[in-house]
């Protein structure tokens, strides 16, 4: 069992590690050759130039200005200077609200920590219960941390009323802060949507499960359906093609083009010798040929194949999926379509808001709708087994925290393990770092599972992956560590455990595992966050790519691109700290300062990263916040239930029943917030849509909206290299005749077909027949 000495050693190691990371970052960020690693967002926006372009050779790589080293920590106040409205304009609402999760942790836990140390720590510390137990049973072991916890309160003590009142205070304070934050972010979202510039997704819905029709292809069927059912608002549509093969071919062509650019650049610098390459894999073997001629021929071949595949994909009816992006003349019309049921049969003509074009995950649009349910079932089973089998490494981690177990398994290690420093290192540091290592690959696995399930937006993929990751952390890291850790120490009790006694047993085990979670917080939350700002892995990868793989400026941009924040990995880890803080606030308050330090340090670090590093891939207008709110509520309910289990083992019969009201009140609060605020994140108010449409018509009466929208949702592989999104403003929409159709039941569809962006080969023939 870890002692204060063990925790002190772990704290010293992690504080020293965090300090080294922060100092190393402060120095490395000043060096010109690292500028693209630590400020990539400004380069990608075209607002920063490399400091290596001018000056002496040494100055291109090393900053020789001693004054900059004196101010090497000025990045901290600089990260806090940017106001939140400016931050939203700079990085988007998603990034700004992501930061507010850390700020939410500070607002919840700073007052709770002050109150807990003022009330609960004296109540726990002034008892001698553990000392009396030790005198009666010398084999019992406890630490000074246990004397600060609820474990030091004797059974049937009236002091449990202090813990009960603290539980109520924590619940009411947390709910109050959650309500205020939910209200604020809902307002921020509405303001953001109202003030945001025109985007294609504001006018577009994704239609899936279009029913097959023997008389018409998908494109005509979609067109006529919406002209009939949304006659005043339908504008254009774009069917979805299965273009995955074409996409892989274009990706291969880009690689060939990049290699050709490299050899042409190489030849332009030294025209005395033509560059050569080998025709084998990666140019490592095969016949030696002229590199420029070889890649020129290969690109021409690939271009011909791409054109054939593009034509085949475009003309083959089997490549058209029963789905389409349908755009409307107004935001109001799109909102009505996206938020209503289209037919009597609720399984066909399914409509939802289209993701913004950057957010579309094109590969999954080619998945047939029927197979989605099967895929989700398979992934559910796979996730269940993944969660179950991960208990094995969790058990290994918990065995590291149990010195007695290691000595029994390997008696020859006892002389080494019993050394004071080694023992403190094993119990205070090793379990946390071992668990961190095991969790490194998990987010990538969960993201792959979400992709297999068939979600069509990157934001949806990340939210689904985040949900699973949080469940995984809850089951394995939190409950798994508590149950397995307690099982190692009380194996006989666990072998004869009844299912009805599980909450009580977990409740008893919670104080015993406080030291393990303190070490995990320091490793992951202190040193891990400080390591995030150092960006050691991206730094090494960038310089390796820049030295060996970067051939062109395009390569350099790809090498330095930091990507998005990684919501699927970061947010569930934050939620684990909310869970630990709420559970241990009453049980072992000594854990709270470690939580507060994490939230404060993480808020500072990620504010700097969002301003200077991460380039958000998409913008969902904080659509993830209901999930954040729900997970904090879940953590609060879990803390209440486990506290009831713990108090019941302490035979606190007079105080325990009063805890029953807390989960009920918390669930009621969650339902109220869900009904009050969640519609803002799921639906777009028609009043807001109408106001924005009216304002836009007044400002831009001649806007060519069809030209703006008709190519917005074309698969990237069908766009030429020179395509752009700049459209000229032309005359207003025109009104006109009837929509021709092959189907006898739709010969007289009202409204003009010329608003459709699709080209139906049969339409000219039908028009000719009517005239």
């Amino acid at each position: 069992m870890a002692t204060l000495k063990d925790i002190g050693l772990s704290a010293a190691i992690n504080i020293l590690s965090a300090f080294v990371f922060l100092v190393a970052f402060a120095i490395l960020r000043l060096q010109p050759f690292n500028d693209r690693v630590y400020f990539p967002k400004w380069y990608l926006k075209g607002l920063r130039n490399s400091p290596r372009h001018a000056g002496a050779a040494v100055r291109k790589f090393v900053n020789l200005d001693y004054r900059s080293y004196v101010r090497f920590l000025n990045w901290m106040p600089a990260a806090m200077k940017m106001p939140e409205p400016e931050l939203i304009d700079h990085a988007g609402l998603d990034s700004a609200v992501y930061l507010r999760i850390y700020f939410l942790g500070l607002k919840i836990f700073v007052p709770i920590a002050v109150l807990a140390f003022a009330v609960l720590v004296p109540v726990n510390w002034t008892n001698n219960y553990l000392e009396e137990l030790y005198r009666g049973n010398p084999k019992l072991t406890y630490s000074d941390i246990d004397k600060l916890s609820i474990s030091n309160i004797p059974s049937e003590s009236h002091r449990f009323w202090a813990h009960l009142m603290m539980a109520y205070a924590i619940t009411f304070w947390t709910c109050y802060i959650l309500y205020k934050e939910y209200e604020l972010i809902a307002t921020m979202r509405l303001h953001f949507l109202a003030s945001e510039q025109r985007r294609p997704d504001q006018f577009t819905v994704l239609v899936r499960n279009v029913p097959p029709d023997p008389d018409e292809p998908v494109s005509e069927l979609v067109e006529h359906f919406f002209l009939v059912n949304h006659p005043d608002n339908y504008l254009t549509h774009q069917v979805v093609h299965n273009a995955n093969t074409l996409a892989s071919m274009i990706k291969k062509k880009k690689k060939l083009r990049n290699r050709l650019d490299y050899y042409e650049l190489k030849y332009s610098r030294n025209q005395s010798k033509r560059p050569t390459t080998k025709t084998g894999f990666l140019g490592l073997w095969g016949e030696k040929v002229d590199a420029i001629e070889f890649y020129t021929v290969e690109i021409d071949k690939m271009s011909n194949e791409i054109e054939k595949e593009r034509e085949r994909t475009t003309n083959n009816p089997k490549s058209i999926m029963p789905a389409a992006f349908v755009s409307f003349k107004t935001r109001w019309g799109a909102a009505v379509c996206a938020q209503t049921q289209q037919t009597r049969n609720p399984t066909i003509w399914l409509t939802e808001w289209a993701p913004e074009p950057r957010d579309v995950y094109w590969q999954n649009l080619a998945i047939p709708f029927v197979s989605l349910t099967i895929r989700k079932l398979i992934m559910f089973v796979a996730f269940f087994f993944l969660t179950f089998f991960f208990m094995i490494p969790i058990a290994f981690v918990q065995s590291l925290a149990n010195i007695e177990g290691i000595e029994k398994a390997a008696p020859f290690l006892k002389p080494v393990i019993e050394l004071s420093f080694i023992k403190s290192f094993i119990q205070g540091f090793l379990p946390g770092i071992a668990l961190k290592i095991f969790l490194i690959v998990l987010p990538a696995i969960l993201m792959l599972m979400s992709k297999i399930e068939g979600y069509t937006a990157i934001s949806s993929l990340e939210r689904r992956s985040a949900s699973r990751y949080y469940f995984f952390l809850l089951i394995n890291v939190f409950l798994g560590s508590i149950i397995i850790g307690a099982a190692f120490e009380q194996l006989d009790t666990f072998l004869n455990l009844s299912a009805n006694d599980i909450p009580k047993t977990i409740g008893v085990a919670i104080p015993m595992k406080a030291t393990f979670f303190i070490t995990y917080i320091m490793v992951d939350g202190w040193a891990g966050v400080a390591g995030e700002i150092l960006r050691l892995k991206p730094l090494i990868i960038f310089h390796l790519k820049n030295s060996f793989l970067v051939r062109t400026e395009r390569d350099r941009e790809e090498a330095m691109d930091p990507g998005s924040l990684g919501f699927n990995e970061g947010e569930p880890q934050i939620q684990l700290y909310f869970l630990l803080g709420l559970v241990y606030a009453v049980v072992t308050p000594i854990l709270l300062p470690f939580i507060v330090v994490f939230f404060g340090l993480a808020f500072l670090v990620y504010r700097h990263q969002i301003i200077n590093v991460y380039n958000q891939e998409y913008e969902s207008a904080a659509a993830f916040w209901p999930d954040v709110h729900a997970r904090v509520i879940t953590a609060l309910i879990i803390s209440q239930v486990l506290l009831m289990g713990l108090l019941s083992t302490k035979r606190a019969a007079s105080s325990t029943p009063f805890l029953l009201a807390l989960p009920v009140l918390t669930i009621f609060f969650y339902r109220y917030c869900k009904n009050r605020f969640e519609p803002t994140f799921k639906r777009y108010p028609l009043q807001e849509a109408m106001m924005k449409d009216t304002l836009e018509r007044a400002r831009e009466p001649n806007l060519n909206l069809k030209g703006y929208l008709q190519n917005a949702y074309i698969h990237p592989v069908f766009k030429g290299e020179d395509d752009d999104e700049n459209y000229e403003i032309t005359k207003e929409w025109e009104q006109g005749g009837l929509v021709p159709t092959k189907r006898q039941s739709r010969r007289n569809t009202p409204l003009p077909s010329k608003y459709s962006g699709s080209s139906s080969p049969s339409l000219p023939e039908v028009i000719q027949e009517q005239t």
Side-chain angles (χ1 to χ4, degrees), residues 215-235:
D215 298 323
E216 290 184 322
V218 173
S219 181
E220 293 182 20
L221 186 61
V222 170
E223 178 183 32
H224 293 139
F225 179 86
F226 285 95
L227 284 173
V228 169
N229 296 287
H230 298 268
D232 298 324
N233 297 296
Y234 170 74
L235 179 62

Side-chain angles (χ1 to χ4, degrees), residues 186 188-199 201-205 330-340 352-353 620-621 677-696:
M188 290 172 62
R189 174 180 167 88
L190 289 174
H191 180 266
F192 179 80
L193 293 175
S195 60
E196 192 182 23
Q197 294 182 351
R198 181 172 54 252
R199 290 193 331 193
D201 54 294
Q202 298 170 351
F203 300 87
T204 308
V205 300
T330 61
R331 296 171 182 83
W332 186 90
V336 169
C337 180
Q339 297 164 185
T340 54
E352 60 185 270
W353 278 108
S620 70
F677 298 118
E678 190 170 316
T680 303
F681 296 83
K682 302 296 183 183
R683 296 186 289 271
Y684 189 43
L686 296 181
Q687 182 185 29
E688 295 283 333
M690 181 62 74
M691 289 172 59
K692 198 165 179 62
D693 289 331
T694 304
L695 185 62
E696 187 173 73

Side-chain angles (χ1 to χ4, degrees), residues 267-287:
Y267 180 62
S268 67
R269 291 173 178 173
N270 181 15
Q271 297 188 2
S272 62
K273 182 181 179 182
R274 297 274 294 184
T276 60
T277 186
K278 294 181 179 179
T279 58
F281 179 71
L282 294 178
L284 298 177
W285 58 74
E287 180 184 356

Side-chain angles (χ1 to χ4, degrees), residues 188 193 545 564 755 761:
M188 290 172 62
L193 293 175
K545 286 184 175 180
S564 298
Y755 292 147

Side-chain angles (χ1 to χ4, degrees), residues 127-359:
N127 278 278
N128 298 317
Y129 179 62
L130 290 176
E131 293 181 3
E132 294 174 0
L133 287 178
Y134 179 75
R135 284 195 292 268
N137 182 13
K139 293 183 178 181
L140 176 70
T141 59
Y142 67 93
S143 67
D144 291 335
I145 293 177
D146 295 320
K147 293 176 67 176
L148 294 170
S149 74
I150 200 172
S151 300
N152 202 29
I153 307 293
S155 299
E156 301 181 0
S157 172
H158 291 294
R159 296 196 177 199
F160 287 122
W161 283 103
H163 299 82
L164 176 67
M165 293 299 102
M166 188 66 184
Y168 269 88
I170 290 172
T171 297
F172 289 150
W173 174 251
T174 303
C175 289
Y176 172 76
I177 295 298
L178 282 174
Y179 179 86
K180 288 296 184 181
E181 198 71 15
Y182 213 153
E183 184 179 42
L184 174 63
I185 292 174
T187 303
M188 290 172 62
R189 174 180 167 88
L190 289 174
H191 180 266
F192 179 80
L193 293 175
S195 60
E196 192 182 23
Q197 294 182 351
R198 181 172 54 252
R199 290 193 331 193
D201 54 294
Q202 298 170 351
F203 300 87
T204 308
V205 300
L206 174 60
V207 183
R208 307 194 71 179
N209 212 22
V210 177
D213 191 289
D215 298 323
E216 290 184 322
V218 173
S219 181
E220 293 182 20
L221 186 61
V222 170
E223 178 183 32
H224 293 139
F225 179 86
F226 285 95
L227 284 173
V228 169
N229 296 287
H230 298 268
D232 298 324
N233 297 296
Y234 170 74
L235 179 62
T236 183
H237 76 276
Q238 179 61 52
V239 294
V240 174
H241 291 80
N242 183 353
N244 291 345
T245 303
L246 181 58
S248 63
M249 294 173 68
I250 290 178
K251 186 177 180 180
K252 184 178 179 181
K253 180 185 175 181
K254 286 182 178 179
K255 291 181 179 179
L256 294 174
R257 179 74 248 181
N258 220 20
R259 291 177 187 173
L260 178 60
D261 291 343
Y262 165 70
Y263 286 115
E264 287 178 341
L265 181 63
K266 184 177 180 180
Y267 180 62
S268 67
R269 291 173 178 173
N270 181 15
Q271 297 188 2
S272 62
K273 182 181 179 182
R274 297 274 294 184
T276 60
T277 186
K278 294 181 179 179
T279 58
F281 179 71
L282 294 178
L284 298 177
W285 58 74
E287 180 184 356
K288 184 179 286 189
V289 295
D290 184 286
I292 295 177
E293 293 181 358
F294 174 74
Y295 283 112
T296 301
V297 172
E298 289 295 311
I299 290 173
D300 290 340
K301 289 181 181 178
M302 184 57 64
S303 297
N304 293 331
E305 293 178 11
I306 287 173
E307 287 304 317
K308 292 178 182 178
E309 178 63 23
R310 182 180 282 121
E311 185 177 352
R312 187 196 67 80
T313 303
T314 305
N315 298 328
N316 186 2
K318 293 183 178 179
S319 69
I320 299 178
M321 306 304 298
F325 290 100
V326 180
S327 298
F328 295 82
K329 299 175 187 177
T330 61
R331 296 171 182 83
W332 186 90
V336 169
C337 180
Q339 297 164 185
T340 54
Q341 182 175 315
Q342 303 304 309
T343 66
R344 290 182 178 181
N345 185 348
T347 65
I348 61 174
W349 294 105
L350 305 178
T351 56
E352 60 185 270
W353 278 108
E356 65 159 316
R358 294 180 303 167
D359 193 19

